[in-house]
Amino acid sequence: MCYGQKNCMGSESENRLCWQSSTTTVIISPKILITPIFIILLFFIGCWTNGRFPAVRTGLFNCSGEQVMAIITRISGQLVAHLGQNMRFVLDTTVEDFLRLHARCRSREITPKEILKLVNEITPEPVTLGQSLNQLSGGQSRALMIGDIALVCDSPIVLIDEIENAGIDKQRALHLLRRQDKLVLVVTHDPHTALMSEQRIVLGGGAITAVVGRSPAEAALYQQLEAEYQTQRRYQTLLRKGELLA
């Protein structure tokens, strides 16, 4: 999906937003709360700009504002999987039963054991099939949901809020989602996370104010931040094992 403004010569400007599956795009939002509905709005704007889905486009233009929002709200749950910072399960059951139930609801031929194998690749705190959902830590919960979104959920777009605060291996997590042909959107204020993507969207005043490509200087900075990130992860591993850091 691509959309952008025309310049004075009638050609596409460089400030052009392109989304495609198996990629990660960062969203920088100083004040606005990003929701799946907002992402769907951007999706439809892109479709209208390229003239895609004319039947849907015409249908929406013939609807009232309330009807349009009702349509967008209904389909947002189908197109966008949203992973927020606060994870609370209201279902009192085990990890195994939850994964089996969701897979059956989605008609997916995959076992809880297969899902958990990938989940435990991105969390330093292993999750077991017999654990209660309500006993999982914040990092375990988010790792479980990332595995569930990647392998069970059929939403093509994944919106993740502050993945660096999840207590998981964010690089492996994003790679897992991209490997499953997902378009991944990450809301972040962390420089290292922001520079993991070659493109970032800047929001302000309820609109997209800029589409920024990663510059060569930023690419070099990313390598520096990556080395620091790996050092920090090594120290975190030592802390969890109760060992000395120096």
Side-chain angles (χ1 to χ4, degrees):
M1 182 186 75
C2 296
Y3 68 93
Q5 297 178 336
K6 301 283 186 178
N7 59 26
C8 60
M9 301 300 292
S11 59
E12 294 288 350
S13 67
E14 293 183 358
N15 190 22
R16 187 168 184 199
L17 174 60
C18 293
W19 286 346
Q20 60 184 5
S21 60
S22 302
T23 61
T24 300
T25 298
V26 167
I27 299 177
I28 308 298
S29 173
K31 297 180 181 179
I32 303 172
L33 175 64
I34 308 299
T35 66
I37 292 179
F38 181 81
I39 298 301
I40 290 296
L41 285 170
L42 294 181
F43 176 81
F44 274 113
I45 291 171
C47 293
W48 287 335
T49 305
N50 284 331
R52 299 179 185 176
F53 309 129
V56 175
R57 179 184 58 190
T58 303
L60 285 178
F61 279 144
N62 291 332
C63 295
S64 66
E66 292 182 358
Q67 290 172 320
V68 169
M69 288 307 300
I71 293 172
I72 291 174
T73 301
R74 185 173 69 250
I75 67 174
S76 66
Q78 301 172 358
L79 289 180
V80 183
H82 183 202
L83 184 62
Q85 293 193 61
N86 298 320
M87 293 295 303
R88 291 187 179 90
F89 290 101
V90 296
L91 189 63
D92 186 14
T93 187
T94 64
V95 169
E96 181 176 13
D97 288 342
F98 164 73
L99 293 176
R100 181 177 288 112
L101 175 63
H102 194 201
R104 186 165 68 240
C105 291
R106 297 279 184 172
S107 300
R108 293 301 179 98
E109 297 294 332
I110 188 169
T111 66
K113 187 175 182 179
E114 291 176 285
I115 300 171
L116 212 59
K117 180 181 178 181
L118 292 181
V119 169
N120 286 326
E121 289 181 4
I122 62 177
T123 174
E125 306 172 83
V127 181
T128 63
L129 292 174
Q131 277 184 281
S132 170
L133 292 177
N134 295 318
Q135 293 178 347
L136 297 178
S137 68
Q140 287 176 317
S141 297
R142 296 190 81 182
L144 178 64
M145 292 312 302
I146 287 175
D148 180 76
I149 289 171
L151 300 180
V152 181
C153 185
D154 52 8
S155 299
I157 304 173
V158 182
L159 174 63
I160 305 178
D161 187 18
E162 304 283 1
I163 191 172
E164 63 275 2
N165 295 332
I168 60 176
D169 188 330
K170 61 184 178 183
Q171 293 172 315
R172 287 189 177 183
L174 294 175
H175 176 69
L176 169 62
L177 292 168
R178 290 194 301 266
R179 197 169 65 198
Q180 299 301 318
D181 209 27
K182 306 286 188 180
L183 164 60
V184 185
L185 305 174
V186 180
V187 182
T188 185
H189 302 102
D190 176 66
H192 176 252
T193 305
L195 293 180
M196 289 174 66
S197 170
E198 294 185 0
Q199 178 177 255
R200 59 186 182 270
I201 302 169
V202 182
L203 303 180
I208 296 177
T209 59
V211 179
V212 183
R214 188 175 64 184
S215 68
E218 286 183 329
L221 174 61
Y222 171 71
Q223 296 301 322
Q224 176 185 336
L225 295 175
E226 170 65 13
E228 295 173 358
Y229 172 72
Q230 294 301 334
T231 300
Q232 181 184 18
R233 284 188 57 80
R234 286 195 294 271
Y235 284 139
Q236 288 174 335
T237 300
L238 292 174
L239 276 176
R240 288 189 179 95
K241 293 180 178 179
E243 299 180 10
L244 295 176
L245 300 184

